[in-house]
Amino acid sequence: MKLKRKYLFMFLSILLILSVAVVGCGGGKQASNAPAAGSGDKIKVAFVYVGPVGDAGWSYSHDQGRQYLVKEMPNVETTVVESVPEGADAERVLTELASKGNKVIFATSFGYMDYVEKVAKKFPEVVFLHATGFKTANNVGTYFGREYQARYLSGLVAGKQTQTNLIGYVAAMPIPEVIRGINAFTLGVKEVNPKATVKVVWTNTWYDPAKEKDAAKSLLDANCDVIAQHQDTPAPMQAAEERGKFGIGYNTDMSKFAPKAVLTSPVWNWGPYYVKTVKAVMDKTWKTEQYWGPMSDNIIDLAPFGPMVSEDTKALVAKKKDTIMKGQWDVFTGPIKDQQGQVKVQEGQKMTDKEMLGFDWFVQGVDGAIPSAKQ
């Protein structure tokens, strides 16, 4: 009986040692089981676009970033799904991509947010990055650039260029991102031209060339002689050129589509961010974050100026850009008034990120209303 107990004790001791060893080997496991960056093994990365790659705007800019990623990291294998609506179909696409071995998925439109959150819960070992959103989880991060800084600079250009003191703005969706851009642009316009007004027309679409162009035409009919946009195609710029007027593009350098009209464009440079993020996932150093990069990170900038932009305007923009790049000043620094003339930001105060990310009011100088929002 004593011998049996002895063997039983030895057997249980061995089992305990083995179980501790197994637990020890598995401790601290990262969310992703992607291969290490220097291993040479392939990693699958997916991109979901709200429009076609050929939109020459938002989706095109992200695809340029994807191509940069592939060039810089040959062991990255990418999948692209274009023209995915911001609805239930997004959930299906995200689920399929996650189930097919993609270790990183970039969802590049605001309306994908809730679907990213839902699908990410089902695939905890996949890293999801959502552009322009605000919801995070252990395996979900958000990313964007401080586009309002470039918007402000482009507003300086528009304010200097207008002769009628009426500037049109073709706007997509009434969300904080778009409202923030309109406000920053208007602050730039008003700084150099206090008599100017920025007139806003909503399209309620990210990508619809015909609708965007019609909106621009309505603004041109209202005597606007510079057209700005928060849309994914160069259609508003083409409408401006057809009328012999000027424009401020967005997302990419749109001058090749309307060379006689485009003064400049706020442009995106997503490539370095994509490389940095994928490397971090592969090296198991990635952690969830809400990245909102400034111009000094080179994620957002201005395209080259058109030949119609004066040297004085270029010098002014360069001076203002320098203060932004050095962190000496930022756009939403008071005093700032709303449309009714009430001070919303006191002199010397600077809006917080939370306040800027929740913009639901227009600054003084904007002619237009925000649907379903209290002014």
Side-chain angles (χ1 to χ4, degrees), residues 321-349:
K321 180 180 177 180
D322 186 59
T323 64
I324 293 172
M325 295 285 280
K326 291 178 179 177
Q328 297 173 345
W329 177 84
D330 206 5
V331 176
F332 293 109
T333 301
I336 300 174
K337 297 179 180 180
D338 65 13
Q339 284 177 308
Q340 287 72 40
Q342 297 180 339
V343 176
K344 299 285 284 188
V345 185
Q346 297 295 327
E347 184 171 1
Q349 291 186 348

Side-chain angles (χ1 to χ4, degrees), residues 52-275:
V53 170
D55 67 4
W58 177 254
S59 295
Y60 177 79
S61 71
H62 282 284
D63 202 61
Q64 290 294 294
R66 179 193 66 81
Q67 292 180 39
Y68 179 91
L69 169 67
V70 172
K71 180 180 178 182
E72 294 295 313
M73 299 181 67
N75 58 327
V76 172
E77 178 184 321
T78 62
T79 298
V80 171
V81 184
E82 305 175 54
S83 302
V84 179
E86 294 175 313
D89 200 43
E91 182 179 348
R92 177 188 63 79
V93 170
L94 290 166
T95 301
E96 287 183 1
L97 291 170
S99 64
K100 290 182 178 178
N102 289 287
K103 298 303 179 185
V104 186
I105 298 176
F106 293 98
T108 66
S109 194
F110 179 81
Y112 297 154
M113 181 165 57
D114 291 341
Y115 305 104
V116 167
E117 181 184 39
K118 185 175 181 180
V119 175
K121 291 178 181 178
K122 302 176 183 178
F123 297 91
E125 292 192 348
V126 177
V127 172
F128 294 80
L129 283 307
H130 179 225
T132 77
F134 56 83
K135 293 184 178 180
T136 61
N138 288 338
N139 63 328
V140 179
T142 63
Y143 66 105
F144 199 36
R146 295 181 183 267
E147 86 303 334
Y148 66 86
Q149 295 175 334
R151 288 284 193 190
Y152 163 82
L153 296 176
S154 70
L156 297 174
V157 179
K160 282 286 192 178
Q161 196 72 27
T162 182
Q163 296 297 310
T164 65
N165 291 332
L166 289 173
I167 297 171
Y169 203 111
V170 182
M173 303 287 188
I175 61 174
E177 171 196 341
V178 180
I179 297 166
R180 184 174 59 245
I182 294 169
N183 285 339
F185 177 80
T186 302
L187 291 176
V189 169
K190 297 291 284 185
E191 180 166 333
V192 297
N193 189 345
K195 295 180 180 179
T197 298
V198 176
K199 186 176 179 62
V200 176
V201 170
W202 299 99
T203 63
N204 293 303
T205 178
W206 296 115
Y207 177 82
D208 188 330
K211 198 169 186 179
E212 295 169 39
K213 194 169 188 177
D214 285 344
K217 288 179 179 179
S218 73
L219 290 165
L220 292 162
D221 290 341
N223 206 30
C224 295
D225 60 353
V226 180
I227 300 296
Q229 65 175 80
H230 192 131
Q231 297 287 172
D232 290 358
T233 83
M237 300 299 96
Q238 293 168 328
E241 182 169 90
E242 290 170 6
R243 296 284 187 92
K245 306 303 180 183
F246 299 106
I248 301 287
Y250 183 48
N251 293 312
T252 64
D253 183 355
M254 293 185 166
S255 60
K256 62 182 178 181
F257 299 99
K260 296 179 181 179
V262 176
L263 302 166
T264 186
S265 307
V267 295
W268 292 106
N269 179 31
W270 300 109
Y273 172 80
Y274 286 148
V275 169

Side-chain angles (χ1 to χ4, degrees), residues 44-58:
K44 297 177 72 175
V45 179
F47 292 79
V48 183
Y49 303 148
V50 72
V53 170
D55 67 4
W58 177 254

Side-chain angles (χ1 to χ4, degrees), residues 270-290:
W270 300 109
Y273 172 80
Y274 286 148
V275 169
K276 177 183 177 181
T277 301
V278 173
K279 282 184 176 179
V281 172
M282 297 181 75
D283 292 338
K284 295 179 170 55
T285 59
W286 181 86
K287 294 181 180 179
T288 181
E289 66 171 345
Q290 290 182 301

Side-chain angles (χ1 to χ4, degrees), residues 5-21:
R5 287 180 179 176
K6 178 180 179 181
Y7 282 126
L8 178 61
F9 177 79
M10 290 175 60
F11 177 72
L12 292 174
S13 297
I14 292 171
L15 283 178
L16 178 62
I17 292 171
L18 288 174
S19 66
V20 170

